[in-house]
Amino acid sequence: MKRIVFFALGLVICMRTGLAQEAIHAAASAPEARLLVVRARWLIDGISDKPRRNVQIVIRGGRIVDVIPANSPALPEEAQVIDLGDATLLPGLIDCHTHIFLQGEDPAAGGYDAQLLKFPASYRVVRAVVAARRALEQGFTSIRDVETEGAGYGDVGVKQAINEGIIPGPRMWVSTVSISSTGGYPLEGYAPEITVPKGSQLIDGPVEARKAAREQLDKGADWIKVYMTHRSWVDAQGALVSQPTLTLEELKAIVDETHGWGRKVACHAYNGLGLQRALDGGCDSIEHGLEISDAQIAQMLRQGTWYVPTLQVYYTDWDPADTDSGKRDRKRVAVHGVSFGKALHAGVKIAFGTDVGGFKWSEPIAEEFSREVQFGMTPMQAIQSATSRAAELLGKRGEIGVVAAGAYADLIAVARDPLADVNALKSVEFVMKDGVVYKSSTGERAP
Ligand SMILES: [Zn+2]
């Protein structure tokens, strides 16, 4: 496709007469919100198997009211038309595993520890605000942010500021502090006499587990994030081993409490016993799932458990090959792609997640798409994992992750065809959320 031309900021205002369809008529009769029309050569709507050609999206009051052919004869007089030329329109993307309070874990920059030990809380919030804007500018109009890594309830305030229009950012589902067990989360390697901050709320026993869930839910967690495994290593037989953290009874108390609030539990689980407890305890989504056995895949299918694999992050920050941690880093990716392929072909529900924050926000979030394709998804399946499937995970089917009447007007556009090369999604050139244009240039804005 040739270079696209955006008219988003200097809107081309098309004066039309008459009404194309009943839906437009209904929308036009609501004078409190202007009528917008976004037009492009191609539409990937998030659900359909094939793209549609020459469409226009009719928007009123932040919602899509209709999707009609571009040659529909008439639009209401006041319609403002954003013509994206040869571009491909898609629903706003959804990343189901982010950390806006993390800024990469590059050892040369102090890694994870420096962020908890040296960054003032105010600085962490400022960086999180920038990260949220980065997500939006890269086309991610919704994120599930799965814990603040020692930054307390900071995500609740960032979400509020976005929802009130004070700062730009995606729709957020937040999980606040997260839950693990004593000895089940960094920081590590400090003198035992020193108390260092924790990246998670550490509990022991089902009573403390339920109390932690109650506290976090009460203070604004939309999801509860639980760590079911922690350290991992390669054993003498060359197998990946992960230390389990919470007991089954502890997890069941958390899941029972959280489900009672009508909310859900995301479980960080690499493999082995911890992953098995995550499934037996009723986790709603398995995060990472580096190595999932056939029996565990069958259990995920039976229980309807989601899989949020986060493939790309495990290709970053490897230790040297001849070290124990370096061997672990390489073993992780060796088993991860295999598990992903098996789960995909078995029909496990897979939602797009990246763990961005675990790698720098200056890296393209959309790199994950090419890993999904590498391990077996079609480009369309990869796109749907970050649109309609992710919306289903979040309980927002039909409202986000789809371009259809009734959905929020969250739209993005790319110049190249993402079905020919999913890397086209790394260059999002137009972003609209709630019917408001946040980006319409051809270049990335620096954070
Ligand atoms: Zn994570």
Side-chain angles (χ1 to χ4, degrees), residues 97 99 146 225 288 355:
H97 191 123
H99 298 282
V146 281
K225 165 77 177 292
H288 315 302
D355 221 355

Side-chain angles (χ1 to χ4, degrees), residues 74 97 130 135 147 218-219 241 256 282 317 409:
H97 191 123
V130 173
E147 82 126 319
D218 186 40
K219 292 178 180 179
V241 182
D256 180 65
D317 296 330

Side-chain angles (χ1 to χ4, degrees), residues 56-124:
Q56 42 194 8
I57 320 299
V58 185
I59 295 159
R60 169 82 78 181
R63 294 264 187 176
I64 296 169
V65 294
D66 207 355
V67 180
I68 58 176
N71 59 4
S72 293
L75 292 169
E77 284 182 12
E78 80 279 21
Q80 296 185 331
V81 177
I82 300 173
D83 193 337
L84 300 176
D86 288 341
T88 300
L89 269 174
L90 301 102
L93 302 172
I94 304 165
D95 189 338
C96 298
H97 191 123
T98 66
H99 298 282
I100 60 169
F101 279 87
L102 270 188
Q103 310 304 330
E105 298 185 20
D106 178 6
Y112 180 88
D113 293 21
Q115 301 180 60
L116 277 71
L117 293 170
K118 295 185 177 177
F119 288 6
S122 51
Y123 179 77
R124 295 197 70 186

Side-chain angles (χ1 to χ4, degrees), residues 8 28 41 55 58 73 134 147 177 191 209 240 263 275 283 294 297 306 311 332 340 349 388 408 444:
R41 179 68 53 83
V55 294
V58 185
R134 284 286 303 157
E147 82 126 319
V177 181
L240 183 71
R263 299 183 198 167
L275 175 52
C283 275
D294 292 347
I297 286 173
W306 285 90
L311 297 163
R332 282 174 177 173
F340 178 88
K349 298 187 291 187
S388 56
Y408 288 107
E444 286 291 310

Side-chain angles (χ1 to χ4, degrees), residues 17 25 71 76 93 109 128 173 193 203 205 238 241 252 260 347-348 402 409 439:
T17 55
H25 182 73
N71 59 4
L93 302 172
W173 281 260
E193 295 77 14
I203 61 87
V241 182
K252 279 185 170 172
V348 171
V402 64
K439 181 179 183 180

Side-chain angles (χ1 to χ4, degrees), residues 65-320:
V65 294
D66 207 355
V67 180
I68 58 176
N71 59 4
S72 293
L75 292 169
E77 284 182 12
E78 80 279 21
Q80 296 185 331
V81 177
I82 300 173
D83 193 337
L84 300 176
D86 288 341
T88 300
L89 269 174
L90 301 102
L93 302 172
I94 304 165
D95 189 338
C96 298
H97 191 123
T98 66
H99 298 282
I100 60 169
F101 279 87
L102 270 188
Q103 310 304 330
E105 298 185 20
D106 178 6
Y112 180 88
D113 293 21
Q115 301 180 60
L116 277 71
L117 293 170
K118 295 185 177 177
F119 288 6
S122 51
Y123 179 77
R124 295 197 70 186
V125 172
V126 169
R127 297 290 301 265
V129 167
V130 173
R133 196 182 81 192
R134 284 286 303 157
L136 187 63
E137 287 177 347
Q138 293 187 57
F140 288 83
T141 52
S142 297
I143 60 173
R144 185 184 59 159
D145 201 70
V146 281
E147 82 126 319
T148 61
E149 313 284 356
Y153 292 86
D155 51 356
V156 175
V158 172
K159 172 185 154 182
Q160 182 181 346
I162 291 169
N163 289 348
E164 292 175 359
I166 294 166
I167 56 169
R171 303 174 193 288
M172 286 184 69
W173 281 260
V174 300
S175 50
T176 71
V177 181
S178 82
I179 301 172
S180 189
S181 58
T182 296
Y185 209 68
L187 309 174
E188 294 179 339
Y190 295 88
E193 295 77 14
I194 296 174
T195 301
V196 290
K198 308 295 182 196
S200 185
Q201 187 167 352
L202 306 185
I203 61 87
D204 295 288
V207 172
E208 286 187 16
R210 187 179 291 273
K211 188 164 194 295
R214 284 175 176 163
E215 283 176 11
Q216 294 179 18
L217 292 160
D218 186 40
K219 292 178 180 179
D222 301 308
W223 279 69
I224 293 294
K225 165 77 177 292
V226 171
Y227 287 85
M228 293 305 296
T229 61
H230 176 37
R231 295 172 190 83
S232 60
W233 60 92
V234 177
D235 72 7
Q237 288 72 45
L240 183 71
V241 182
S242 299
Q243 165 211 348
T245 53
L246 299 192
T247 65
L248 185 56
E249 290 67 31
E250 288 165 340
L251 177 60
K252 279 185 170 172
I254 292 166
V255 169
D256 180 65
E257 184 66 30
T258 307
H259 285 177
W261 289 60
R263 299 183 198 167
K264 292 184 176 172
V265 180
C267 289
H268 167 116
Y270 275 4
N271 69 346
L273 183 56
L275 175 52
Q276 188 58 48
R277 288 180 187 167
L279 294 176
D280 293 344
C283 275
D284 298 291
S285 68
I286 297 293
E287 308 298 305
H288 315 302
L290 299 186
E291 188 173 36
I292 312 178
S293 71
D294 292 347
Q296 289 169 335
I297 286 173
Q299 188 172 356
M300 290 176 80
L301 284 169
R302 272 199 314 278
Q303 296 180 188
T305 314
W306 285 90
Y307 180 25
V308 182
T310 71
L311 297 163
Q312 170 59 23
V313 68
Y314 293 99
Y315 291 82
T316 59
D317 296 330
W318 283 3
D319 286 335

